[in-house]
Amino acid sequence: MALSADVLNPEQQRAVAHGAGLSQPGPLLIIAGAGAGKTATLAHRVARLIRDGADPARVLLLTFSRRAAAELEQRAGRVLRATLPSGVAVPPSLPWAGTFHSIGARLLRMHAESLGLAANFTVHDRGDSEDLMALLRHETLARHPVESRFPTAATCVAVYSRCVNAEAPLATVVERHFAWCGAHTERLRALFDDYVAAKQRQQVLDFDDLLLYWAVMLGEPALAADIGARFDHVLVDEYQDTNALQATILRRLKPDGRGVTVVGDDAQAIYGFRAATVRNILDFPQQYAPPAEIVTLARNYRSTEAVLGAANAVIALARERYTKDLVTDRAGGAPPAVVTVADETTEARCVVEQVLAWREEGIALKAQAVLFRSSGHSAHVELELARRNVPFVKYGGLKFLEAAHVKDALAVLRWIENPRARLAGFRALRLMPGVGPATATRWLDALDAPAAQDDLLAAMRNFRVPPAAVESWVRLIGVVASLRAPGSAWPGEFDAVVAWYAGELERLYDDAALRQADLEQLARIAAAYPSRERFLTELTLDPPAAAAGHAAEPWLDDDYLTLSTIHSAKGQEWKTVQVLRCVDGCLPSDMASGPDEIEEERRLLYVAMTRARDALVLTLPQRFYVTGQAAGGDRHVYALPSRFLPASVLRHCTQRTWPEPVRVAAEPEAAPRVRIDVRALLRDVWKPAGTRGA
């Protein structure tokens, strides 16, 4: 049976068939425009490889979220079931499908001994990394006081992370991205040395280490040969969002490019703030000899011809790109509207009235979205929606693993898993009554001794425990004993941790019942994993979205409007889209100065426009209220239309002002003049009752 000939267009079929008949075909770059069926193409390619004899266990599929990997795996399975002859068993799932970080963690655990790591190393999330950096920062400043402002722990982690992911020297990163920290470069260098040493002592890795250690492994010929031989095919999704370190991993994994397929769109490279670089996808073909084959998917299955015309015009002005103009079978459609409004308040009223008008036309709120460059840009719209009782959800907010009670329970489990993880231990020990920072630190110092590592339980039983903590301490020793016993069963181990923590929860938090529900949800999540180690690693790398105690209040309505930053909207689509503040200073952001940053801002507008299926509105406020202006001065700043909307783009749009200018009627003919004796009327009013009209 032919594979996908009836559902894929010719370009997609060419991408799917690349290298057919070869055990390891040459490198392939699929440039997939917005809405061009990228996921379907990649799923069909995976299915075709397996149908032609590729071992699923030797296919490495790298994505940017676990959900994306699961979706590709499911879709590839559906294609296989539809195309394999009846009676042939469907091949097993793809065991090596996942994110760069999760795959890196698995490989590191397999080769931990070669890297000087314990197999039970702990993975720090961003919050843990900032906590550790804060402790070391305090020690650094105590030894070397500074008179000027020193970067916060969060900034220090950001600097360190960019150095690792961009493969750039500290001095270069500071100069280009953190110029105000320039006076502290050498102190930062010393701080980062301490940070790396502390992680090694504690047997912990942060997110960046998962990639860095993987790249280091592949730099060793023996390990590189072993890991590279494990996979016949390597497929990478969203390659435009990779950073320099991820590109290095791919090159070292398959130096000749055999079996490599990368999929992406240079026009949607918008994550430079995460150290992603569009150069990876632009330079990919020339990294190999002969160069990689390029297949371009330009048929859009999402937007109308009118919307695509404007979007194509925006990206056509890009300084460097793979040339492609999206085409569609959805001819016609209303041209995008460029609407000029007076200020942010007027913009909010305009946007919400348009939302309600579309709703009256039968377009559900869920089919509509309002997008913006920065989270704060939607403040006026949110107020207007609340005033008019329009339900909405805004992407962002506190994540599940950032909730204090969830971090507490996981800290206990992480510390039992790896007693060298001081941050987890410090948090876990301080959950007990009467245990302060000094006591927790003293206990952790004692547990660092080699004898204590050999017999953790014996060391714990010898501690002098504050009277208030005796009951909790005895119960905790019981949990540690059960989890470290041979044959300890998962997920019952986590149930034991939750049961211990439940005894502390009511003392620690007023809303204990609400937080207990989160712990029960966490226990259900734990039950889906085969082991304690896998649970801790995967949960850190791909956390759930929100905690019940901190999520937005639920609406009774089953319909709601979506508010989202453009970055969060990537990969989504709606029938109608409105984009706020399409003016210089907002889009592009006033923080974008260099040519590379400006080009990324252009791509950001392109991504926003291509989220719309049927209707697109771009709003242009003319002025913004500024609270910091001096009294008596002009309290507004004035804005110009975005430089990304020149005449070549506007000719694809309709332009109007909101509200519509008031039309002044022609002046009527002068009415006949009437003389009124006002004095007589007043005398009549003041006359006593009974005498009026006399």
Side-chain angles (χ1 to χ4, degrees):
M1 181 182 297
L3 182 70
S4 67
D6 55 338
V7 295
L8 300 182
N9 64 43
E11 291 77 19
Q12 291 173 318
Q13 292 181 45
R14 180 182 161 205
V16 169
H18 170 78
L22 302 176
S23 59
Q24 285 194 304
L28 170 66
L29 169 61
I30 303 174
I31 297 296
K38 174 201 69 171
T39 302
T41 303
L42 193 56
H44 277 79
R45 179 159 178 78
V46 171
R48 199 273 299 166
L49 290 172
I50 295 173
R51 192 201 65 172
D52 288 357
D55 182 352
R58 298 180 61 80
V59 174
L60 174 60
L61 178 59
L62 295 167
T63 65
F64 276 81
S65 74
R66 190 174 59 192
R67 288 172 293 280
E71 180 185 359
L72 281 168
E73 186 176 357
Q74 291 168 3
R75 294 182 70 164
R78 288 197 295 269
V79 174
L80 282 169
R81 282 190 291 273
T83 58
L84 287 173
S86 59
V88 177
V90 176
S93 60
L94 301 171
W96 287 96
T99 66
F100 269 93
H101 292 86
S102 65
I103 297 297
R106 288 180 61 187
L107 290 171
L108 291 180
R109 292 199 189 277
M110 293 171 60
H111 298 277
E113 185 176 351
S114 300
L115 297 165
L117 290 171
N120 65 337
F121 66 79
T122 300
V123 180
H124 272 184
D125 63 17
R126 189 64 171 228
D128 294 331
S129 299
E130 291 177 6
D131 289 343
L132 178 57
M133 188 71 78
L135 291 173
L136 299 171
R137 176 183 179 276
H138 177 75
E139 295 173 3
T140 296
L141 295 183
R143 294 194 308 267
H144 308 289
V146 295
E147 296 181 357
S148 59
R149 178 171 58 119
F150 193 78
T152 64
T155 300
C156 291
V157 171
V159 176
Y160 174 85
S161 179
R162 185 170 280 273
C163 289
V164 172
N165 288 294
E167 296 185 321
L170 174 60
T172 301
V173 168
V174 169
E175 179 183 358
R176 292 181 180 176
H177 304 285
F178 303 90
W180 69 270
C181 301
H184 303 296
T185 301
E186 292 309 313
R187 283 188 179 84
L188 286 172
R189 195 184 309 279
L191 174 60
F192 294 163
D193 286 342
D194 292 343
Y195 178 64
V196 171
K199 289 188 295 180
Q200 291 175 342
R201 284 195 308 273
Q202 299 176 29
Q203 290 291 300
V204 299
L205 302 181
D206 58 27
F207 273 15
D208 305 318
D209 290 332
L210 297 176
L211 301 182
L212 180 61
Y213 278 58
W214 187 3
V216 169
M217 278 199 305
L218 294 175
E220 294 295 323
L223 284 175
D226 178 64
I227 297 172
R230 181 180 295 276
F231 307 110
D232 295 327
H233 300 277
V234 180
L235 300 97
V236 186
D237 192 16
E238 303 286 6
Y239 193 64
Q240 79 280 350
D241 295 334
T242 55
N243 56 45
L245 185 56
Q246 289 164 324
T248 294
I249 289 171
L250 182 62
R251 285 196 301 272
R252 291 180 177 178
L253 190 63
K254 292 292 181 183
D256 59 4
R258 294 290 174 184
V260 173
T261 297
V262 302
V263 184
D265 183 8
D266 57 298
Q268 298 185 70
I270 59 173
Y271 291 109
F273 66 95
R274 296 180 186 168
T277 172
V278 71
R279 298 293 346 155
N280 284 351
I281 195 167
L282 291 176
D283 298 340
F284 178 82
Q286 305 308 318
Q287 291 174 357
Y288 306 101
E293 181 178 352
I294 303 174
V295 176
T296 300
L297 309 182
R299 181 161 298 280
N300 179 281
Y301 293 95
R302 175 187 301 155
S303 305
T304 64
E305 185 179 41
V307 169
L308 289 184
N312 285 335
V314 166
I315 203 62
L317 300 175
R319 185 180 57 183
E320 184 179 6
R321 69 185 184 114
Y322 287 106
T323 302
K324 66 178 180 303
D325 283 332
L326 298 181
V327 296
T328 180
D329 293 332
R330 300 189 63 202
V338 176
V339 182
T340 301
V341 294
D343 51 31
E344 310 112 303
T345 303
T346 310
E347 179 183 51
R349 289 192 290 112
C350 173
V351 166
V352 176
E353 288 200 9
Q354 181 64 78
V355 165
L356 294 175
W358 278 330
R359 181 174 179 271
E360 291 303 311
E361 294 174 7
I363 301 175
L365 295 178
K366 282 186 178 180
Q368 304 185 44
V370 178
L371 307 182
F372 32 87
R373 172 64 177 84
S374 300
S375 181
H377 291 176
S378 67
H380 288 78
V381 173
E382 292 175 49
L383 292 173
E384 186 69 14
L385 290 168
R387 188 179 71 82
R388 300 197 187 204
N389 194 30
V390 178
F392 67 90
V393 60
K394 181 178 179 180
Y395 284 92
L398 190 66
K399 302 300 183 185
F400 187 81
L401 294 188
E402 294 171 359
H405 53 294
V406 175
K407 290 178 75 73
D408 289 344
L410 291 175
V412 177
L413 189 63
R414 284 195 178 102
W415 179 61
I416 296 174
E417 171 76 7
N418 177 14
R420 293 189 181 93
R422 289 182 69 91
L423 281 178
F426 188 78
R427 187 178 190 117
L429 295 174
R430 291 199 62 201
L431 295 174
M432 294 179 289
V435 179
T439 301
T441 300
R442 185 171 66 252
W443 288 353
L444 290 171
D445 289 341
L447 292 175
D448 273 342
Q453 291 293 325
D454 292 338
D455 195 342
L456 179 66
L457 287 170
M460 292 179 67
R461 293 189 181 104
N462 290 332
F463 288 162
R464 293 179 57 189
V465 183
V470 170
E471 181 185 350
S472 295
W473 184 247
V474 171
R475 291 192 298 113
L476 181 60
I477 289 178
V479 173
V480 173
S482 67
L483 266 66
R484 296 179 73 85
S488 175
W490 180 264
E493 297 172 332
F494 188 66
D495 294 336
V497 170
V498 171
W500 176 85
Y501 181 58
E504 315 297 329
L505 196 60
E506 290 192 9
R507 176 179 54 82
L508 294 169
Y509 302 105
D510 294 332
D511 54 347
L514 186 62
R515 295 174 187 265
Q516 181 64 36
D518 278 339
L519 297 178
E520 293 169 1
Q521 172 66 16
L522 193 60
R524 288 192 289 271
I525 294 173
Y529 290 85
S531 67
R532 182 169 70 204
E533 167 267 312
R534 188 75 173 267
F535 167 68
L536 287 172
T537 300
E538 293 293 333
L539 194 66
T540 302
L541 296 177
D542 194 11
H550 299 271
E553 289 297 321
W555 288 87
L556 295 178
D557 307 73
D558 60 356
D559 197 13
Y560 52 82
L561 176 71
T562 296
L563 305 184
S564 175
T565 62
I566 301 172
H567 287 100
S568 296
K570 187 169 176 290
Q572 306 298 313
E573 63 179 67
W574 295 270
K575 283 188 175 181
T576 70
V577 169
Q578 298 187 73
V579 186
L580 304 181
R581 301 193 181 187
C582 297
V583 295
D584 270 1
C586 295
L587 193 58
S589 166
D590 54 7
M591 300 297 291
S593 54
D596 291 341
E597 289 85 356
I598 293 297
E599 285 303 307
E600 181 161 319
E601 296 288 309
R602 187 193 311 277
R603 296 193 291 267
L604 202 60
L605 177 58
Y606 174 80
V607 167
M609 295 172 71
T610 52
R611 300 311 95 196
R613 292 170 54 192
D614 300 331
L616 173 65
V617 175
L618 312 177
T619 57
L620 281 65
Q622 292 180 303
R623 60 182 186 174
F624 298 88
Y625 186 73
V626 180
T627 57
Q629 292 280 16
D634 187 350
R635 290 179 179 268
H636 291 82
V637 293
Y638 292 84
L640 294 172
S642 173
R643 70 192 71 179
F644 305 143
L645 299 175
S648 61
V649 175
L650 293 178
R651 68 184 181 85
H652 295 275
C653 308
T654 59
Q655 300 180 63
R656 58 186 172 88
T657 300
W658 193 94
E660 296 294 339
V662 176
R663 298 185 180 276
V664 179
E667 187 173 329
E669 296 182 7
R673 300 182 65 183
V674 178
R675 293 183 62 85
I676 301 174
D677 189 347
V678 176
R679 293 176 63 187
L681 289 174
L682 291 177
R683 282 197 304 271
D684 192 54
V685 169
W686 290 336
K687 284 184 179 180
T691 65
R692 295 177 185 170

